[in-house]
Amino acid sequence: MRRTLEILLLISTTVILIATSRAPEPCASETVVLHARTTCGEETNLNFTSTPSCTVTVNGGGFPSSGPLANLVVDAGVMGGFELFGPRVDGGVPYSCSAIPEDGGLFMTCSPNVTCVPDAGADAGPCAHECSGMLTLP
Amino acid sequence: MHSSPRAPEFFSALPLAAVALLAVNDHLLKAAFHNTLTGKLSDFAGCFFLPLFVSATLSFVTRWSLERRLWWGVAATLAIFVPVNLSRTAADLVCRTVELVSIPLGIGAQRIASDPTDLMALPMIAVSLHYARKVNPCAEPSKSSC
């Protein structure tokens, strides 16, 4: 019994020693609910989740599903802005979105990553447009 | 019948308290206060218990005397503590080595700050040796079976 306890103490000490040298995570892991009122999709509440690897993920709102925190700015738990890249939830061309702090929330603008050529003919497919709007606390 | 600990130099109140202090300081106190004291507390605690920890570990895998185990503990502590605080390269080498274990265990990547002023904790090694000889009945020369 005593020997088992001593071995457990040695193992615990080893884990503590390793854990104290663990590299700090640069970003917080948290989820913030924001009310999206944009021309990108329907007005709705969305969960924006930041991860220790400094990415933001969201599902819905007409936005791409993930992207980096802008300039790795995380101040006292408040995101200083973020970006989203990729196809929007309804598919189609990839978009690049930027959420920038403004009075009352974050202002989101999204632009398609491909050049839209109007009047290119029926074979050109639908034209993707910019969209924007505000993300605020619900 | 009450049995004595195999290596009382580590399995006793002070060294185990130093381990606990290291854990509390690194996970709570540094985040709460992040001052000079919390910055050095872990180094002092570590320099005290690390030689004793190595000695205790050796007592499980060898039949070495207390003195021999202690001096190996001192050597291991100096071999790690001094280079990582004097050399960024040495610190990175130690980190990469520890990551061979820490990443598979899910603890994650390692980072050690090189700070030559941390070397002020080295005298705790002498305190550690004195403590070990005081608490260990095998420290007496007549107890050759230790």
Side-chain angles (χ1 to χ4, degrees), chain A residues 2-3 18 20-23, chain B residues 3 5-6 26 107 109-111:
Chain A
R2 176 181 281 277
R3 184 183 173 115
I18 294 173
T20 56
S21 300
R22 184 179 55 194
Chain B
S3 60
R6 173 186 289 265
D26 275 14
I107 296 175
Q110 300 287 300
R111 192 178 81 188

Side-chain angles (χ1 to χ4, degrees), chain A residues 2-3 5-7 9-24, chain B residues 2-6 10-11 19 22 26 49-50 53 57 60 98 102 107 109-111:
Chain A
R2 176 181 281 277
R3 184 183 173 115
L5 183 60
E6 290 172 351
I7 291 172
L9 283 171
L10 289 178
I11 293 171
S12 302
T13 303
T14 303
V15 173
I16 288 171
L17 283 169
I18 294 173
T20 56
S21 300
R22 184 179 55 194
Chain B
H2 180 73
S3 60
S4 301
R6 173 186 289 265
F10 180 73
F11 299 114
V19 175
L22 176 78
D26 275 14
F49 81 74
L50 204 50
F53 168 73
T57 303
F60 276 82
V98 174
S102 68
I107 296 175
Q110 300 287 300
R111 192 178 81 188

Side-chain angles (χ1 to χ4, degrees), chain A residues 11-106:
Chain A
I11 293 171
S12 302
T13 303
T14 303
V15 173
I16 288 171
L17 283 169
I18 294 173
T20 56
S21 300
R22 184 179 55 194
E25 295 171 342
C27 296
S29 177
E30 63 178 331
T31 296
V32 176
V33 179
L34 297 174
H35 184 76
R37 183 186 285 182
T38 73
T39 56
C40 304
E42 290 185 6
E43 185 174 343
T44 184
N45 287 341
L46 295 170
N47 290 338
F48 289 82
T49 301
S50 65
T51 69
S53 59
C54 302
T55 59
V56 172
T57 61
V58 63
N59 185 16
F63 305 129
S65 60
S66 67
L69 280 165
N71 299 320
L72 298 182
V73 177
V74 180
D75 182 15
V78 178
M79 287 187 284
F82 59 88
E83 296 171 328
L84 300 171
F85 300 110
R88 292 163 61 182
V89 69
D90 56 354
V93 301
Y95 268 71
S96 295
C97 301
S98 294
I100 301 169
E102 276 203 4
D103 285 344
L106 296 160

